[in-house]
Amino acid sequence: IADTPALDAMTQAYTLPPETLAAMASDARVRTLELVRDLDEVQMFGPRLGTVNPPCWEIGHVAFFWEVFCLRQLGEEGALLPGGEELYDSFLVAHDDRWELALPDRAGTEAYMQRVLERVLGRLGARTTPRESYLYQLCTQHEDMHGEALAWTRQTHGYPTPPIEVTAAPAAAVPSPTEQEASSGNAAIPGGEFQLGAMPDEPFLFDNEKWAHPVAVAPFRMARTPVTNAQFADFVAEGGYDRDELWGYQGRLWRRRAAAEHPRYWRREGDAWLVRRFDRWLPLAPREPVIHVNWHEANAWCAWAGRRLPSEAEWELAAGAEPTPDGRGLSGRKRRYPWGDEPPTPARANTDMSAGGPVDVAAHPAGDSAFGCRQMLGNVWEWTASPFYPFPGFVLDEPYREYSAPWFGYHKVLRGGSWVARSRVLRNTYRNFALPDRGDIFAGFRTCARDEG
């Protein structure tokens, strides 16, 4: 790892103490098991779909990742599950084959997970090296991301609401009329040269965030909040799904193939819309962000509304840049989070499933960016106009060389984070990515005005 310049610069800058790494690893494992503890043996497999994994495979895979990318990288010998590569290596085992594997039973899988965790925790000494810190954070955040995947698997299959304790204060999700007014309309964002991407002195990063490089961004106006259910329902009511001129070529193909007439998980009941959240049909909350829409649907709404999706450079600038004192330019300073450099809290962002679901788009004013854009981290992932490509000078990080490179060019970039995402994964420079027809993930969008300049 030390031979990889990009990784070496990062690990030397940020090393967590062993007790912090142990707490993170243990917390990630608790969440993984919480997300499956109420599922029966049939649900632990679920139907074969191209967008999800069998939960019984997924939980074994995260333990195998710890064994391969932490323990073995640090010199541990001897497989904790002989033949594990033939079961859980995601680049060796074809997706559709994961339902046919001779996997350990639930008790055997959880016993393997526990053996790995005990070895992971037991090898931490009084101090950690940069290399150890990097590998522990890599494996923790990998497990965190699979936790979000388990949540969208439950949503896809209509399984019950995950048994995760709701800990956020209800008042934080109920904005006052003043907060609602403050979050309306557009924020004026000054243009200028902006450093897109992560700086070498930031904490843990993935390879696709590296490194910050100058981009020229023209002034633009961005919506202070994501598009709401009510705004998207107007598009549906005006026949947006039937108007070919609103959809690009690939979008039209997707819409016809999917026979889409409205967002997935919506259904009409009389004069009202209902939305399915896990196994419950709920009245559509007009001021919550529209969620589970794909990139094609977001683009079609923009064409209908005379708006556009932001580029990822515009998104990151609006989330992380600070203006000059007169507000007419950029100071050159970047924030780690929209509100500053302090970690996320329930007052600033809806993350970690702590609120039990998405919240009003005007909630969490304490999390505003310097330009007054709300909820740029948490509540809902936000599609951008940008395809997922490497930044200039991209270098594969070892040992997880497959994290980004196989997906360049085919996916679109999402930014921000959802109400399900773990807060320790999120930051202004974090780049999520998905195929443009993916609407199963917890994704929505915010828009920019078209009349800049």
Side-chain angles (χ1 to χ4, degrees), residues 138-259:
L138 168 67
C139 294
T140 295
Q141 294 200 16
H142 172 268
E143 185 157 352
D144 288 337
M145 287 185 278
H146 275 278
E148 185 165 5
L150 283 168
W152 83 55
T153 297
R154 295 182 69 118
Q155 171 68 27
T156 299
H157 294 330
Y159 290 170
T161 301
I164 307 297
E165 182 182 3
V166 175
T167 58
V174 183
S176 69
T178 300
E179 290 166 346
Q180 291 182 17
E181 178 64 26
S183 67
S184 64
N186 292 318
I189 316 293
E193 185 176 276
F194 174 70
Q195 293 289 324
L196 173 63
M199 301 292 185
D201 60 350
E202 291 191 12
F204 178 88
L205 301 165
F206 286 103
D207 54 12
N208 63 59
E209 300 173 70
K210 305 172 191 174
W211 290 110
H213 57 285
V215 295
V217 180
F220 62 101
R221 294 189 297 133
M222 174 181 276
R224 295 182 187 276
T225 64
V227 170
T228 65
N229 284 325
Q231 291 170 324
F232 205 90
D234 288 341
F235 166 73
V236 177
E238 292 193 13
Y241 279 81
D242 298 323
R243 294 172 56 183
D244 281 355
E245 72 274 15
L246 300 177
W247 300 75
Y249 175 72
Q250 293 296 331
R252 290 194 296 272
L253 290 180
W254 167 81
R255 191 192 72 214
R256 292 165 186 167
R257 185 169 59 249

Side-chain angles (χ1 to χ4, degrees), residues 206-210 388 391 394 403-404 408 429 431 433:
F206 286 103
D207 54 12
N208 63 59
E209 300 173 70
K210 305 172 191 174
F388 181 52
F391 288 158
F394 174 78
Y403 178 71
S404 302
F408 287 141
T429 60
R431 306 172 78 200
F433 48 94

Side-chain angles (χ1 to χ4, degrees), residues 57 84-98 101:
W57 181 90
E85 287 83 357
E86 298 175 0
L87 299 177
Y88 296 123
D89 188 324
S90 58
F91 281 87
L92 293 179
V93 181
H95 179 85
D96 285 353
D97 292 344
R98 295 170 192 175
L101 298 169

